[in-house]
Amino acid sequence: MERRDEILHVAGHLFSQRGYHATSMRELARHLNLQGGSLYAHIASKEELLLEVVRQAAARFLGVLEALPPGDPVARLRALVRGHLGVIAQELPRATVFFHEWKHLSPPLLEEAKALRRRYEEGVQAVIQEGVEKGVFRVENVRLATLFVLSALNWTYQWYRPEGALSLEELSEMYAGLLLRALGVQEGGQDGAA
Amino acid sequence: MERRDEILHVAGHLFSQRGYHATSMRELARHLNLQGGSLYAHIASKEELLLEVVRQAAARFLGVLEALPPGDPVARLRALVRGHLGVIAQELPRATVFFHEWKHLSPPLLEEAKALRRRYEEGVQAVIQEGVEKGVFRVENVRLATLFVLSALNWTYQWYRPEGALSLEELSEMYAGLLLRALGVQEGGQDGAA
DNA sequence: CCTACCGATCGGTAGG
DNA sequence: CCTACCGATCGGTAGG
């Protein structure tokens, strides 16, 4: 079971770097000092490997939703931004697979991946919906606002690198500030973005 | 030369739907009622095809930057949003390749793709920088604000479908409204997002 | 633009 | 976990 985890770990790296189809099972095996065929003592298929990586990433992102503090929509959105960026900082390969490579799954497994992604999106939508209902966020179209927030968050895996100039904390602060302003929150206290 | 354009067109569709590596030359040929080998009468390699599609998409996006009205940063940003979403609406397959599949190019060609993408990003950054210098946009970190705007714009190709509920005009209005608020613009006149 | 072909590599399996 | 192998398919070329 431990060896299987190693395989999943390396698969996540390779799938995120080169893409699912550009990664061969023999290449994966080489990174693990195995022969190509030996992988199949631990896994059933290449596609199963992809789904497992997607599941692991989904667990992290869904974990962010569960850890949100109750109450204040502003605090919840800040925690969401911090959590999302935190997963990317800690799990960039898996996060990349979650955002992209899942598309290469075929119908039976594809549905599960879509469902996991949908759950995350619904969680984000709930945070925004709640803020609107409490009169804290002011947007004319909750669905569009959700897609906007998800867009801003999801694309970060393309450019954010934790070893770069901005620390996770700094970035999260500023990013949340920008999003809160977009959601119509008056700058309170910290003056997050201006 | 006309046949080559057909090939590029179909290649853009297939690369965007299945991904570059998951698309075989024989599959591409089949969509054009050709034999696999016949493609090479018109093109040099599969990779050349990918680069060409990236170039075509880049031309559209860079065209948006050139068509921006001079002057008012708010009008410029609105035109940028409208233009970007317009390219996605009209050229979804090519846009998708521009945002994703370019990564599968190898070093010599990869550099050109990166340069094209960089040019677009710099154009967006210039719009924001200008708005900040004119005192219209208020952000503490221009680079981060640019990445934020690019993230919100770039990810739209994942979910925006022109045949959906929101017209291009409605979406562009609301999206620009959200972005302008994020950039610290006081709701002027139209009250774009609230 | 076709036929016929090249060597290489693919995911996966049998049998140990 | 290895050796040895399977049929299928890959991108690309020769020669017409």
Side-chain angles (χ1 to χ4, degrees):
Chain A
M1 203 50 67
E2 180 186 301
R3 197 69 217 241
R4 188 181 152 94
D5 289 340
E6 283 182 55
I7 295 172
L8 287 172
H9 185 76
V10 176
H13 272 267
L14 293 175
F15 290 168
S16 73
Q17 279 170 20
R18 303 166 208 234
Y20 176 70
H21 281 107
T23 303
S24 75
M25 294 303 273
R26 282 165 180 80
E27 192 179 356
L28 171 58
R30 209 179 312 122
H31 281 262
L32 291 151
N33 292 315
L34 290 180
Q35 296 303 312
S38 305
L39 288 168
Y40 294 88
H42 303 94
I43 60 154
S45 70
K46 187 184 182 183
E47 204 176 6
E48 185 210 62
L49 223 44
L50 176 55
L51 179 61
E52 277 298 331
V53 174
V54 168
R55 280 180 180 148
Q56 291 180 338
R60 293 301 210 104
F61 281 108
L62 293 172
V64 168
L65 293 176
E66 284 161 23
L68 295 183
D72 178 26
V74 169
R76 281 168 70 78
L77 193 104
R78 284 190 191 279
L80 175 64
V81 170
R82 170 53 224 264
H84 183 103
L85 295 173
V87 172
I88 287 173
Q90 289 168 31
E91 300 276 1
L92 188 56
R94 280 189 258 255
T96 301
V97 171
F98 184 66
F99 287 121
H100 268 139
E101 302 303 319
W102 66 274
K103 291 188 191 189
H104 296 114
L105 289 165
S106 46
L109 307 185
L110 181 64
E111 297 314 314
E112 178 174 339
K114 280 186 180 172
L116 288 169
R117 289 174 51 80
R118 206 178 309 123
R119 271 181 59 194
Y120 185 62
E121 294 183 12
E122 286 170 358
V124 172
Q125 175 141 353
V127 170
I128 292 168
Q129 178 77 49
E130 216 180 284
V132 170
E133 283 165 5
K134 290 190 177 176
V136 178
F137 298 160
R138 296 178 298 110
V139 296
E140 55 174 314
N141 183 326
V142 172
R143 179 60 189 155
L144 183 72
T146 301
L147 288 168
F148 176 83
V149 170
L150 280 166
S151 296
L153 286 177
N154 286 357
W155 193 258
T156 54
Y157 83 91
Q158 291 267 7
W159 55 266
Y160 176 52
R161 293 298 175 271
E163 68 277 13
L166 278 177
S167 76
L168 176 58
E169 303 306 332
E170 291 172 317
L171 174 67
S172 299
E173 262 312 304
M174 291 196 284
Y175 222 69
L178 290 164
L179 281 172
L180 287 169
R181 285 210 302 208
L183 294 174
V185 176
Q186 318 288 6
E187 310 287 320
Q190 316 197 31
D191 195 29
Chain B
M1 204 50 64
E2 181 186 302
R3 196 71 216 235
R4 187 181 152 93
D5 288 340
E6 284 182 54
I7 295 172
L8 287 173
H9 185 76
V10 177
H13 273 267
L14 293 176
F15 290 168
S16 73
Q17 280 170 19
R18 302 163 210 237
Y20 176 70
H21 281 107
T23 303
S24 75
M25 294 303 273
R26 282 165 179 81
E27 192 179 355
L28 172 59
R30 209 179 313 123
H31 281 262
L32 291 152
N33 293 316
L34 289 180
Q35 296 303 312
S38 305
L39 288 168
Y40 294 87
H42 303 94
I43 60 154
S45 69
K46 186 183 182 185
E47 204 177 6
E48 185 210 64
L49 224 43
L50 176 55
L51 180 61
E52 277 298 332
V53 174
V54 168
R55 279 181 180 146
Q56 291 181 338
R60 293 301 210 104
F61 281 108
L62 293 172
V64 168
L65 293 177
E66 284 162 23
L68 296 183
D72 178 26
V74 169
R76 282 169 70 78
L77 193 105
R78 283 189 190 280
L80 175 64
V81 170
R82 169 53 223 265
H84 183 103
L85 295 173
V87 173
I88 287 174
Q90 290 168 29
E91 300 275 2
L92 188 55
R94 279 189 258 254
T96 300
V97 172
F98 184 65
F99 286 121
H100 268 138
E101 302 303 319
W102 66 274
K103 291 187 192 191
H104 297 114
L105 289 165
S106 46
L109 308 185
L110 181 63
E111 297 313 315
E112 178 174 340
K114 280 185 180 173
L116 289 168
R117 290 175 50 81
R118 205 177 311 124
R119 270 182 59 193
Y120 184 62
E121 294 183 12
E122 285 170 358
V124 172
Q125 175 140 353
V127 171
I128 293 168
Q129 177 78 50
E130 215 180 284
V132 170
E133 283 165 5
K134 290 191 178 175
V136 178
F137 299 160
R138 297 177 299 110
V139 295
E140 54 174 316
N141 183 327
V142 172
R143 179 60 188 155
L144 183 72
T146 301
L147 289 168
F148 176 83
V149 171
L150 280 166
S151 296
L153 287 176
N154 286 358
W155 192 258
T156 55
Y157 83 93
Q158 291 268 7
W159 54 266
Y160 176 52
R161 293 298 175 272
E163 68 277 13
L166 278 177
S167 77
L168 176 59
E169 303 306 334
E170 291 173 316
L171 174 67
S172 299
E173 262 312 305
M174 291 196 283
Y175 222 70
L178 289 164
L179 280 173
L180 286 169
R181 287 211 301 208
L183 294 174
V185 176
Q186 318 288 8
E187 310 286 321
Q190 317 198 31
D191 196 28

